[in-house]
Amino acid sequence: MSDPRAASTSSATDGARFRQVLGHFPTGVTVITARAASGPVGLCVGSFASVSLDPPLVMFCAGKSSSSYPSIEAAGHYCVNVLADDQEEIARVFAAKGDDKFSGVGWRPSIATGAPVLQGVLAWIDCTIEAVHEAGDHWIVVGRVLDLE
């Protein structure tokens, strides 16, 4: 009899199958923003979660290949913008590569960090970066919540 763990390990390492199976798990869509030295920066992520109530911590995952994340990390802060169901176009803009993702997007600076709070979002969470952990081809970014609404 074959070892069932061997079969599950080989199918888990197949990237296409991994995406297909985990794609059945619905997730919210967020845009992570920061006020970088060069101006506002942002990226779209589906991997966002609450971590702790005391102290208040949240996390998101950023791909190591992201061209936007290094500016967010350098800023030392971020704002999680939880998108509404009618903000698909904003998600697409921030998911794409590009320099001026904020063109035509309404936003205001948060009070605590100055990170962009996008117009019309369901909720926003303003944070300072508490820790960054390496995890395969992504970074797990833990933030201490300073303000939210």
Side-chain angles (χ1 to χ4, degrees):
M1 187 163 170
S2 65
D3 184 353
R5 291 173 295 179
S8 67
T9 301
S10 64
S11 65
T13 58
D14 174 7
R17 180 148 174 80
F18 185 83
R19 264 192 214 106
Q20 176 193 27
V21 172
L22 275 92
H24 292 288
F25 178 70
T27 184
V29 179
T30 62
V31 171
I32 307 298
T33 59
R35 189 74 176 241
S38 61
V41 63
L43 66 125
C44 187
V45 302
S47 55
F48 166 74
S50 169
V51 174
S52 170
L53 289 174
D54 187 20
L57 302 172
V58 296
M59 59 75 64
F60 73 92
C61 295
K64 288 183 177 178
S65 63
S66 170
S67 57
S68 299
Y69 175 68
S71 296
I72 293 170
E73 185 176 26
H77 67 264
Y78 63 89
C79 185
V80 180
N81 292 269
V82 180
L83 299 184
D85 61 357
D86 63 348
Q87 292 183 305
E88 180 181 347
E89 185 56 36
I90 290 175
R92 291 186 186 284
V93 167
F94 282 91
K97 301 271 187 207
D99 291 333
D100 192 9
K101 297 178 182 180
F102 289 84
S103 178
V105 175
W107 64 276
R108 65 170 177 80
S110 67
I111 293 171
T113 67
V117 176
L118 302 180
Q119 188 174 16
V121 294
L122 290 175
W124 55 266
I125 304 109
D126 201 18
C127 308
T128 56
I129 294 177
E130 182 85 2
V132 179
H133 305 282
E134 187 172 9
D137 60 359
H138 278 70
W139 299 109
I140 300 171
V141 184
V142 179
R144 181 176 294 261
V145 177
L146 302 178
D147 196 10
L148 70 164
E149 189 170 311

